[in-house]
């Protein structure tokens, strides 16, 4: 099993805006005053297009699918929450917390991937859990260490423990479960997605250990990463607020390894941290300010990794 892939699915927004249904527990979202919805969407589209250009220049195979105007899906550019693609040809569909995000699931996207030469064998569908208000939001909630057979998950209203364990049983992964917090208006609140405070690379991990308030849980997570001989690069909660945890390692041309992040994430890193990362990978960063502010997600959330076999 490889940890990184050369192929990425990205959804180009057509009506991007702040999603009021996700704002109830995504404290990274902000209202951009004085900007019309059209301007917000235009800015997001420009950020998206510039980002895709940078990825393709590095030799990443980016499959871009346009969002549709109807149904109204303001968060469609974060596809990694509703779908994941696996080396055995499995496609997984996940139960989503926000009702208007459930409409992001589109069968025609699977048809398009098959047209691109990817092979789909089976669809594993966990979405019926939505009827019981149980959620697990894809590789936002789950950090998969494919190589070492583990899945890391910070529990939250969007990541339910029993369903996470069921997923791990189905995919023969060891669950590593903890709670991660950040300070919101002086209170410790659960972080909505694991991939905001943690990133798993091939030979390294970026994590805000300070977000794991329980010392035993913190030790367990760090021991697990070190036990797999990953260099652990610690980031601060302030850096998490700049989306420095929301990064993804991808492969470019000739299997060259890149770490993809936003410009705000990159600017928040210290010289030492950049040096630690560059010992493993080359860094790609792109401005995603509008997307981060309105969407409360960043570079990692915009990329659904495609591990499917090719015909």
């Amino acid at each position: 099993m490889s940890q990184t892939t050369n192929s990425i699915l990205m959804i180009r927004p057509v009506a991007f805006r702040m999603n009021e249904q996700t704002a109830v527990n995504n404290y990274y979202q902000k209202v951009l005053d004085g900007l019309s919805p059209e301007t917000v969407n235009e800015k997001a589209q420009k950020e998206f297009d510039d980002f895709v250009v940078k990825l393709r220049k590095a030799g990443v195979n980016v499959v871009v699918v346009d969002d549709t105007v109807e149904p109204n899906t303001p968060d469609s550019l974060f596809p990694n929450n509703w779908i994941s693609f696996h080396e055995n040809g499995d496609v997984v569909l996940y139960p989503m917390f926000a009702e208007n995000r459930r409409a992001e699931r589109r069968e025609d996207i699977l048809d398009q991937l098959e047209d691109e030469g990817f092979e789909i064998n089976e669809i594993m569908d966990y979405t019926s859990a939505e009827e019981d208000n149980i959620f697990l939001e894809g590789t936002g909630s789950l950090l998969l260490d494919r190589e070492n057979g583990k899945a890391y998950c910070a529990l939250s209203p969007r990541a339910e423990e029993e369903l996470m364990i069921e997923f791990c049983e189905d995919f023969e992964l060891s669950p590593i479960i903890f709670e991660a917090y950040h300070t919101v208006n002086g209170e410790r609140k659960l972080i909505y997605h694991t991939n905001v405070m943690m990133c798993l690379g091939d030979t390294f991990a970026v994590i805000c250990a300070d977000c794991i308030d329980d010392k035993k849980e913190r030790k367990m997570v760090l021991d697990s990463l070190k036990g797999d001989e990953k260099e652990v690069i610690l980031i601060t909660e302030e850096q998490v607020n700049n989306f420095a945890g929301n990064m993804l390692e991808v492969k470019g041309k000739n299997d060259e390894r890149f770490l993809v992040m936003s410009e705000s994430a990159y600017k928040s890193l210290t010289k030492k941290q950049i040096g630690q990362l560059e010992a493993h990978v080359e860094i790609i960063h792109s401005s995603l300010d509008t997307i981060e502010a309105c969407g409360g997600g960043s570079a990692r959330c915009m990329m659904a990794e495609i591990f499917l076999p090719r015909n």
Side-chain angles (χ1 to χ4, degrees):
M1 288 281 187
S2 52
Q3 181 59 19
T4 52
T5 178
N6 170 256
S7 295
I8 300 290
L9 167 71
M10 293 179 69
I11 310 291
R12 189 174 190 271
V14 294
F16 175 74
R17 60 177 166 80
M18 177 168 161
N19 185 352
E20 61 292 337
Q21 292 186 16
T22 53
V24 293
N25 58 20
N26 177 348
Y27 301 102
Y28 298 98
Q29 287 175 243
K30 299 178 187 75
V31 177
L32 292 179
D33 290 328
L35 290 185
S36 70
E38 294 76 22
T39 305
V40 167
N41 186 59
E42 277 168 24
K43 283 176 172 287
Q45 284 180 330
K46 179 162 187 345
E47 289 171 3
F48 179 95
D49 293 342
D50 292 349
F51 187 27
V52 170
V53 166
K54 286 184 181 179
L55 290 170
R56 286 179 171 160
K57 197 174 170 190
V60 181
N61 172 32
V62 186
V63 179
V64 174
V65 176
D66 283 313
D67 188 17
T68 51
V69 177
E70 290 296 326
N72 180 351
T73 48
D75 277 332
S76 59
L77 84 170
F78 301 135
N80 80 313
N81 299 142
W82 66 266
I83 196 162
S84 64
F85 307 99
H86 302 264
E87 275 185 36
N88 61 358
D90 282 355
V91 171
V92 184
L93 302 178
Y94 296 91
M96 306 280 283
F97 170 82
E99 282 184 33
N100 65 3
R101 291 210 63 190
R102 297 170 194 174
E104 292 173 28
R105 299 189 289 251
R106 286 167 48 192
E107 271 183 43
D108 65 297
I109 290 175
L110 300 183
D111 298 337
Q112 195 161 331
L113 289 175
E114 288 184 315
D115 292 344
E116 295 269 345
F118 293 104
E119 206 174 294
I120 295 171
N121 295 326
E122 196 179 342
I123 293 176
M124 304 276 287
D125 189 343
Y126 296 97
T127 58
S128 62
E130 287 166 353
E131 293 160 27
D132 300 314
N133 284 325
I134 287 172
F135 312 110
L136 187 66
E137 295 197 334
T139 54
S141 299
L142 297 162
L143 255 68
L144 304 179
D145 186 339
R146 292 172 168 83
E147 220 173 344
N148 297 298
K150 294 177 181 178
Y152 293 81
C153 181
L155 300 178
S156 79
R158 305 195 194 190
E160 201 268 345
E161 185 165 6
E162 276 178 39
L163 186 57
M164 190 268 176
I165 289 168
E166 184 187 326
F167 171 88
C168 288
E169 284 170 357
D170 290 342
F171 282 87
E172 297 178 357
L173 297 165
S174 303
I176 294 164
I177 299 169
F178 55 97
E179 287 182 336
Y181 294 86
H182 57 152
T183 301
V184 182
N185 301 326
E187 273 181 79
R188 294 299 272 171
K189 302 256 192 189
L190 287 168
I191 286 180
Y192 78 108
H193 277 161
T194 317
N195 75 4
V196 174
M197 50 75 68
M198 184 176 175
C199 154
L200 278 180
D202 223 347
T203 51
F204 65 93
V206 175
I207 184 170
C208 180
D210 292 346
C211 288
I212 308 175
D213 289 357
D214 184 296
K215 288 192 173 111
K216 276 191 191 150
E217 287 186 353
R218 187 188 310 157
K219 184 178 186 308
M220 169 194 72
V221 172
L222 293 173
D223 284 352
S224 172
L225 295 168
K226 288 170 185 165
D228 295 326
E229 297 182 350
K230 292 191 188 292
E231 183 187 355
V232 174
I233 298 163
L234 295 173
I235 55 173
T236 65
E237 212 174 303
E238 181 53 37
Q239 289 173 320
V240 169
N241 292 338
N242 286 289
F243 295 100
N246 200 245
M247 310 165 162
L248 181 68
E249 185 182 327
V250 296
K251 284 182 193 153
K253 50 186 174 285
N254 308 323
D255 281 350
E256 204 180 330
R257 292 162 55 199
F258 293 93
L259 185 63
V260 184
M261 66 186 75
S262 72
E263 197 173 285
S264 63
Y266 183 77
K267 283 179 175 168
S268 78
L269 297 173
T270 64
K271 276 198 176 128
K272 184 188 174 195
Q273 288 166 326
I274 290 170
Q276 285 175 296
L277 290 168
E278 286 180 337
H280 299 270
V281 285
E282 193 177 321
I283 293 173
I284 296 174
H285 57 90
S286 199
S287 171
L288 302 172
D289 292 353
T290 312
I291 290 168
E292 287 175 330
C294 292
S298 188
R300 169 37 184 140
C301 306
M302 294 169 67
M303 298 180 280
E305 301 151 278
I306 307 170
F307 285 92
L308 298 169
R310 282 186 173 275
N311 297 333

